[in-house]
């Protein structure tokens, strides 16, 4: 699991993640993990992934094979994940079942997306939300949301608010740990 945050303030967007990977009770910290960054970059867009560690490799593979994926808007992100779903099932052997009474097959992926147009959340049934200020995902999300909510009006930059969110998540969530990775970009007007 993880703590993942995305923040938009003034003309800046930030996306950040912790670096800890867990397997049950075993912790793989950044000190022992050559590739601990949970955020993938694709053509000026940053995608932070939560959940299974396999998502990272699968997503990197998808981006390499399908260069035309569009993450620029809420509608484009939805269409991208809709197009990826059959590929995830057929080529990557995704198990799309969560609950028996779910209305749609699950992608099993939770992600935050940041690009010059905004910050977005993607959830397992391909729900896409666009956020105006900030959001968090992963097991540390509640701590991160509280910290960012309390600091949004006080701190001047998206980067500082994102750092506060990750700090809270890694302090209180047993499945999150430092160091963090953080990327910033300018808002497109």
């Amino acid at each position: 699991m993880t703590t993942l945050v995305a923040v938009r303030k003034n003309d800046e967007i930030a996306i950040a993640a912790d670096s800890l990977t867990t397997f049950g009770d075993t912790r793989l910290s950044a000190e022992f993990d050559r590739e601990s960054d949970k955020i993938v970059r694709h053509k000026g867009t940053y995608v932070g992934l939560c959940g299974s560690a396999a998502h990272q490799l699968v997503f990197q593979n998808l981006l390499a094979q399908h260069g035309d994926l569009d993450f620029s808007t809420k509608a484009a992100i939805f269409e991208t994940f809709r197009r990826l779903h059959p590929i995830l099932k057929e080529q990557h052997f995704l198990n799309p079942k969560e609950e028996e009474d779910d209305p749609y097959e699950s992608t099993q992926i939770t992600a935050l997306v940041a690009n010059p147009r905004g910050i977005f959340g993607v959830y397992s049934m391909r729900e896409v939300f666009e956020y105006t200020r900030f959001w968090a995902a992963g097991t540390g999300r509640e701590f991160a949301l509280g910290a960012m909510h309390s600091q949004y009006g006080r701190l001047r930059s998206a980067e500082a608010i994102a750092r506060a969110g990750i700090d809270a998540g890694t302090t209180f969530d047993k499945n999150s740990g430092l160091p963090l990775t953080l990327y910033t970009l300018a808002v497109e007007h």
Side-chain angles (χ1 to χ4, degrees):
M1 290 285 128
T2 194
T3 300
L4 180 62
V5 302
V7 181
R8 179 180 183 151
K9 185 161 186 180
N10 300 323
D11 288 333
E12 182 184 48
I13 290 175
I15 185 167
D18 80 298
S19 58
L20 180 67
T21 299
T22 57
F23 308 96
D25 291 333
T26 303
R27 297 166 48 96
L28 175 63
S29 68
E31 177 184 1
F32 298 101
D33 187 354
R34 187 174 296 250
E35 295 186 32
S36 61
D37 191 347
K38 297 177 182 179
I39 300 172
V40 177
R41 184 175 182 181
H42 177 71
K43 297 182 179 179
T45 292
Y46 295 87
V47 180
L49 299 159
C50 299
S52 172
H55 292 334
Q56 191 88 4
L57 290 170
V58 167
F59 212 75
Q60 288 170 339
N61 180 268
L62 290 169
L63 293 173
Q65 290 186 7
H66 305 276
D68 63 337
L69 299 177
D70 186 356
F71 298 95
S72 61
T73 64
K74 180 178 177 176
I77 294 167
F78 171 79
E79 181 60 19
T80 291
F81 275 86
R82 189 196 64 75
R83 283 182 48 215
L84 289 177
H85 188 70
I87 297 167
L88 286 166
K89 287 181 8 178
E90 294 163 18
Q91 296 178 18
H92 297 278
F93 310 105
L94 170 75
N95 177 1
K97 296 240 186 252
E98 281 189 22
E99 302 295 326
E100 197 60 40
D101 59 347
D102 282 342
Y104 300 99
E105 289 182 344
S106 172
T107 62
Q108 305 285 357
I109 293 174
T110 299
L112 291 182
V113 177
N115 63 49
R117 291 185 160 188
I119 56 174
F120 307 87
V122 181
Y123 297 89
S124 64
M125 307 262 172
R126 289 159 303 287
E127 307 103 313
V128 180
F129 296 90
E130 183 173 3
Y131 303 111
T132 57
R133 296 181 181 181
F134 59 85
W135 201 250
T139 54
R141 73 185 166 277
E142 293 173 358
F143 306 113
L145 285 169
M148 292 187 298
H149 175 73
S150 72
Q151 296 301 308
Y152 192 85
R154 295 181 179 127
L155 298 175
R156 292 182 176 217
S157 71
E159 178 179 346
I161 297 160
R163 287 182 182 280
I166 295 296
D167 183 54
T170 57
T171 298
F172 296 106
D173 176 43
K174 69 179 182 173
N175 295 308
S176 300
L178 294 173
L180 66 82
T181 54
L182 185 139
Y183 302 93
T184 60
L185 51 154
V187 172
E188 181 179 283
H189 293 284

